[in-house]
Structure formats: structure tokens, C-alpha cells
Amino acid sequence: MLTQRFVRKARAAARVTLIACALGGALLVAGCGKQPPAFQNLDITGNTQFGSDFSLPDTSGKIRTMADYKGKVVVLFFGYTHCPDVCPTTMAELSQALQQLGPEDAKRVQVLFVTVDPERDTPQALREYVGAFDPRFVALRGDDAATQRVAKDFKIYYEKRKQGATYTVDHSAQAYVLDAQGRLRLLVRHDRIGKDLAPDLRALLREAR
């Protein structure tokens, strides 16, 4: 009787030891793996509801896609040059975010400005506009159909509003960040760019090393 109880206790102890060893091994494996960064902005990694690529001409007429910027972290923002407030503020804060990174890391980031007003935003106007904020910024300008397609893919709303003899364009103001492998990672509200974008860019740049 004593022998049977001893055997049962020994078997139970063995099972506990095996479970503990298995859990310990799993924790060791997890600890050895690369942990995903903790972002300040909305992490949409793996979300298939948003676009992850585009095909639009730059101001020289060359068709650009995400493949052109592989190896760089890309910040994608939609706006227009006649925008009175959100766009110039956002562009200035994007420039400041790159300055916060320092010259070496800033080289590994590409800001892309997609116009939602191709009717008025000529290639020359776009070059001058983005260049005024940072000469490293690139502007993309499609025709109406291409602009609508890319905006739909990235869940960007825009609509013309008559204003006397001219018009303004209401539009979504979020930016998107894609990592060095071209994967969509972050959605950044325009009011978070000045404060939170630079730390998240650093995290993605570290991840890519």
C-alpha cells in the first residue's frame, strides 16, 4: 500500500516537473526571439483592410511603387498644396521628426506626399511645395482615377467643396508608416505626428538593423 502511494506521488511529481520544464523551455525560446516594438501610434501590422502599395507618378513623371523605397521606412501622407492648415502643419512636423532622428537615420526614412488635388497641383507646384519643407520629401501625383484608387486602398476620404470661385478639399489627415520591407505598420493621427512619430520611426529603424 505504501509502495503504491509512493509510486503515485512519484508519477505526479514527474508530471509537474515535465510541465515546468516545458513552460521554462517555451519561455526561453520566447525570450531569445526578437520582441516586437511597443509603438506610440496605432499598430496596424497585418491589417488587410488597408492598402500596402501604390503606383503613382512622381513630379518627373516616373511611376513609383513601394518597391522603389525598399530598405527605407516610408511615411505616406495625403494632402494638397492649397490646404490652409492641416497639410502645412503636418509637413512641418514630418520635417521636424526627421531632424530628431539625426542625419544618418533620417537617410533611411522617405516621406511621400500624395496629392488629392491633381487638378491644381502641377508637378512644379508639388516640387516647390514639398521642397519648402524638406528637400528629401517626394511628391506623387496621379490622375483622378489613380488618385481615387490609391485613396480608397488606404481608406482616405477626400471631397471638393466649392468656396466662391474656387474650392477647398476636405480630406482625411492621417499618415501611414510602412517598414523597410514595405509592410504597413502604423496609422498616425495628424495631431500625434509632432510628439510620437520620431520614437516610432526609431523603433522601426532598429527593427530593420
Side-chain angles (χ1 to χ4, degrees):
M1 198 67 161
L2 289 172
T3 303
Q4 289 177 349
R5 284 202 298 269
F6 177 79
V7 170
R8 285 198 296 271
K9 286 181 179 179
R11 286 175 176 170
R15 284 197 295 272
V16 170
T17 302
L18 286 171
I19 292 169
C21 288
L23 288 172
L27 289 171
L28 284 172
V29 170
C32 293
K34 183 179 280 189
Q35 297 299 308
F39 295 118
Q40 303 295 313
N41 291 285
L42 182 61
D43 186 345
I44 55 173
T45 303
N47 191 319
T48 58
Q49 297 179 25
F50 297 89
S52 59
D53 205 349
F54 52 83
S55 179
L56 293 169
D58 63 17
T59 56
S60 68
K62 182 176 181 178
I63 298 296
R64 297 291 186 176
T65 68
M66 270 304 301
D68 292 300
Y69 304 104
K70 191 168 184 180
K72 289 190 173 187
V73 173
V74 170
V75 182
L76 188 66
F77 176 67
F78 293 74
Y80 69 114
T81 64
H82 289 74
C83 180
D85 39 42
V86 172
C87 295
T89 300
T90 298
M91 295 294 281
E93 290 180 340
L94 287 171
S95 179
Q96 290 168 11
L98 263 60
Q99 291 174 27
Q100 291 174 41
L101 295 179
E104 292 306 312
D105 278 347
K107 290 177 184 176
R108 300 170 59 209
V109 177
Q110 181 61 64
V111 172
L112 300 177
F113 177 85
V114 180
T115 179
V116 293
D117 186 17
E119 180 181 339
R120 291 184 299 189
D121 286 348
T122 64
Q124 181 178 349
L126 283 167
R127 276 195 300 272
E128 293 174 355
Y129 183 77
V130 299
F133 294 100
D134 196 303
R136 296 166 292 192
F137 290 0
V138 171
L140 302 175
R141 175 184 180 270
D143 58 19
D144 286 337
T147 303
Q148 290 170 14
R149 183 169 58 252
V150 175
K152 182 179 179 181
D153 286 346
F154 284 91
K155 302 293 185 290
I156 296 293
Y157 158 84
Y158 70 99
E159 185 178 359
K160 289 182 180 179
R161 298 285 186 186
K162 288 292 289 182
Q163 197 172 66
T166 183
Y167 63 87
T168 60
V169 182
D170 290 345
H171 65 93
S172 306
Q174 71 266 26
Y176 294 99
V177 181
L178 299 96
D179 66 19
Q181 285 73 49
R183 298 172 300 186
L184 185 63
R185 302 297 298 274
L186 299 173
L187 185 154
V188 186
R189 289 179 4 200
H190 76 276
D191 59 338
R192 301 283 298 275
I193 286 174
K195 180 181 178 182
D196 295 334
L197 181 60
D200 283 352
L201 292 177
R202 285 195 191 96
L204 287 170
L205 291 171
R206 284 196 301 268
E207 184 183 76
R209 287 192 176 99

